Amino acid sequence: MDKIQSVRGTKDIFPIEMIKYNSVIDKARSVSKLFGFDEASFPLLEKSQVFTRPLGESSDVVSKETYSFDDRGGDSITLRPEGTAGIIRAVLSEGKLNDLPLKYFYSGPMFRYERPQKGRLRQFTQIGIESIGNPNAIEDVEVILCGIKILKRLGINKNCILNINTLGDTVSRNEYRENLVKYFLKHESKLSKLSKNRLALNPLRILDSKENEDQDIIMNAPLFSSFLNNSSIDHFEKVLNYLKKSKVEFVHNEKLVRGLDYYCHTTFEFITEDLGSQGTVLGGGRYDGLSEMLGGPHIPAVGFAAGVDRLVMMSKLNDVSPMAVSILPIQRENFDYCYSLLNTLRDKDIKAEIYPGGNVSKYLKKINKKNQKIVILVGDKEIQNKNVILKNLSTGDQFEVPNEELIKKIDL
Ligand code: HAM
């Protein structure tokens, strides 16, 4: 029979790598807590409308990348491609409006039907934070600073450059959009096929195009900064000033247009060269209009999400070996004695495993391969003398330890 393969773009995560994933998520969670973002969890399944309006029917995510299906009750359901829209849906449908402002940290799988490559999966894991209900520029900075601290905690902040831009408020954006369309229409015949399609649907996304034939046209396109009204300029200047005061280095990238439609004002991405073409490690921004797109009132909000798979690839975590004590009976007959020792260790919260015993060198090789460096060997002599042999596979050292001192000696 043919072997069944995994679904393309999905990833099996075995224990050694799972430790890295959990370590990244734990670090992100604890930094977020420092900034007042407490953990919450939201469904992987949402009604499809949760994403179609806020993310934009013409956005790549909605038009090509969602996993959507009709469930047995006939509802159109989508596996969440991102967390933000579902969180605002939850705030609205669970009646949380009187509790604003709200600050959440979350982590979990997201699903996008993209072309898989290094750093790009169809099921990937994100961590993210959302600050809901606070319109102030300082909150944009808080969110960015929290992102920086997470990257720092993972030891990768030096490899990431903060790109920041403003998309202004709705009035500025509509005016810019009109002018951009006029400009691109003049050059339509030279635009790539992808950008021609985007011209009608989402002209701002053309600025993000990677197609060669678009580059010269994009270079001379009108800049958003010329169309920003005073209140949009004021918000952005405050953000940049706070960032400068916090000694944060950034690049003001006027071409930074995020792939989701719900953004306004501040948008930002932390970009690295360490991951090849999938260089965006963390991205986010302000999305004051999202709630209205879902039928709710105006709720100012700002947040970000980061790809855990990418963070794991970048961070050189050294706490990766599953430290444990392996108990190895020297003869099979010593197993029962060792088994009670095993339970004593577990009662003291020491992670321990037992092997059948006998063939000592074969099992030592196995244990070494599993990265478990501390081995307790027990044979007839040790049982008689009420001690054990403690062996450290990293150094090769071994010595006898009386039973009553064992716990102290292997204090991990
Ligand atoms: P996003 O830029 O679409 O934003 O995704 C955020 C991060 O998720 C990316 O920077 C990247 O690290 C990771 N990511 C995205 N797609 C993939 C993929 N196919 N494979 C692996 N990693 C991926 C959002 O999702 C927004 N919800 C962020 C946000 C929160 N904005 C405001 N609040």
Side-chain angles (χ1 to χ4, degrees):
M1 271 211 281
D2 287 345
K3 266 192 240 147
I4 301 174
Q5 304 294 335
S6 62
V7 175
R8 197 160 170 248
T10 61
K11 187 174 161 63
D12 301 309
I13 306 172
F14 293 104
I16 298 253
E17 204 172 6
M18 196 65 214
I19 290 173
K20 296 187 191 174
Y21 271 70
N22 283 336
S23 169
V24 165
I25 296 169
D26 287 348
K27 288 184 164 94
R29 184 191 291 112
S30 77
V31 170
S32 302
K33 220 177 164 59
L34 282 180
F35 283 77
F37 293 89
D38 285 322
E39 184 159 21
S41 173
F42 302 94
L44 272 57
L45 300 177
E46 289 283 356
K47 300 253 174 78
S48 297
Q49 305 98 289
V50 168
F51 304 109
T52 37
R53 275 178 282 163
L55 273 56
E57 306 226 21
S58 66
S59 68
D60 285 350
V61 174
V62 168
S63 64
K64 299 191 290 215
E65 295 170 5
T66 48
Y67 282 89
S68 297
F69 59 93
D70 287 343
D71 71 6
R72 287 169 203 271
D75 285 328
S76 174
I77 302 292
T78 294
L79 282 175
R80 65 179 186 191
E82 59 101 52
T84 314
I87 291 175
I88 295 298
R89 188 280 306 147
V91 167
L92 297 174
S93 64
E94 298 305 314
K96 298 264 177 218
L97 293 177
N98 291 333
D99 303 334
L100 296 177
L102 296 163
K103 289 169 75 170
Y104 300 129
F105 166 86
Y106 58 96
S107 69
M110 308 288 161
F111 305 85
R112 295 184 195 175
Y113 191 82
E114 293 191 86
R115 197 166 47 78
Q117 54 174 261
K118 184 181 167 200
R120 189 161 71 192
L121 293 160
R122 289 183 175 171
Q123 178 181 328
F124 57 100
T125 306
Q126 277 187 347
I127 55 101
I129 58 169
E130 311 293 349
S131 169
I132 303 158
N134 188 335
N136 301 321
I138 187 73
E139 197 60 10
D140 305 18
V141 176
E142 279 277 289
V143 163
I144 293 173
L145 291 180
C146 181
I148 293 176
K149 205 167 178 69
I150 291 173
L151 299 176
K152 244 188 209 159
R153 188 68 68 88
L154 297 172
I156 57 176
N157 57 309
K158 297 228 163 63
N159 311 23
C160 300
I161 296 171
L162 169 61
N163 280 240
I164 188 164
N165 193 19
T166 177
L167 299 179
D169 59 11
T170 322
V171 181
S172 315
R173 209 162 44 258
N174 287 345
E175 205 185 330
Y176 180 51
R177 193 186 156 109
E178 266 172 39
N179 280 276
L180 206 56
V181 171
K182 267 192 218 150
Y183 169 80
F184 283 132
L185 277 174
K186 272 196 259 158
H187 301 277
E188 193 180 0
S189 60
K190 287 193 230 128
L191 282 174
S192 66
K193 199 167 152 233
L194 187 66
S195 293
K196 276 184 193 142
N197 286 339
R198 282 179 170 162
L199 190 51
L201 298 168
N202 189 352
L204 261 70
R205 286 281 283 151
I206 299 179
L207 298 173
D208 222 15
S209 163
K210 305 279 178 295
E211 309 289 313
N212 276 340
E213 57 262 59
D214 294 334
Q215 298 312 311
D216 283 348
I217 308 173
I218 292 171
M219 195 132 71
N220 297 312
L223 290 175
F224 208 154
S225 47
S226 347
F227 298 90
L228 290 173
N229 55 19
N230 285 342
S231 65
S232 300
I233 293 172
D234 182 54
H235 185 93
F236 194 48
E237 278 182 351
K238 277 189 185 138
V239 171
L240 298 188
N241 282 335
Y242 284 131
L243 285 177
K244 282 178 200 153
K245 270 191 208 151
S246 311
K247 306 219 169 3
V248 172
E249 285 177 31
F250 58 84
V251 175
H252 177 188
N253 175 357
E254 289 213 44
K255 300 275 156 57
L256 179 73
V257 183
R258 309 253 309 124
L260 309 166
D261 272 12
Y262 52 60
Y263 290 109
C264 62
H265 291 292
T266 319
T267 54
F268 58 90
E269 289 186 350
F270 287 84
I271 299 171
T272 181
E273 290 186 350
D274 291 1
L275 294 177
S277 63
Q278 297 310 308
T280 309
V281 179
L282 183 156
R286 193 161 262 291
Y287 52 93
D288 297 348
L290 202 163
S291 164
E292 285 152 295
M293 293 170 178
L294 291 175
H298 179 80
I299 305 178
V302 56
F304 72 68
V308 175
D309 311 86
R310 295 183 190 178
L311 296 173
V312 165
M313 283 162 78
M314 283 183 77
S315 57
K316 293 175 188 60
L317 299 161
N318 41 22
D319 47 345
V320 292
S321 57
M323 275 304 264
V325 173
S326 306
I327 305 180
L328 188 47
I330 294 176
Q331 282 100 32
R332 279 176 177 266
E333 296 71 51
N334 307 130
F335 183 89
D336 287 355
Y337 181 87
C338 288
Y339 193 69
S340 65
L341 186 59
L342 172 78
N343 285 320
T344 313
L345 293 182
R346 285 180 180 157
D347 284 345
K348 299 281 176 207
D349 286 339
I350 292 171
K351 188 176 157 197
E353 275 185 342
I354 190 163
Y355 287 79
N359 206 335
V360 170
S361 61
K362 176 180 113 186
Y363 286 116
L364 283 179
K365 265 189 209 146
K366 259 195 183 175
I367 295 166
N368 213 1
K369 258 197 198 154
K370 284 180 76 179
N371 256 344
Q372 296 179 353
K373 300 299 178 203
I374 297 188
V375 184
I376 293 172
L377 291 147
V378 182
D380 290 342
K381 196 175 120 222
E382 286 70 36
I383 295 175
Q384 212 173 9
N385 294 343
K386 296 197 171 61
N387 65 14
V388 301
I389 299 170
L390 200 59
K391 188 175 175 68
N392 182 333
L393 291 183
S394 323
T395 58
D397 294 345
Q398 72 173 56
F399 45 91
E400 286 178 8
V401 177
N403 284 351
E404 62 272 17
E405 285 175 29
L406 180 60
I407 304 288
K408 210 164 66 197
K409 282 275 184 309
I410 54 175
D411 191 17
L412 295 172

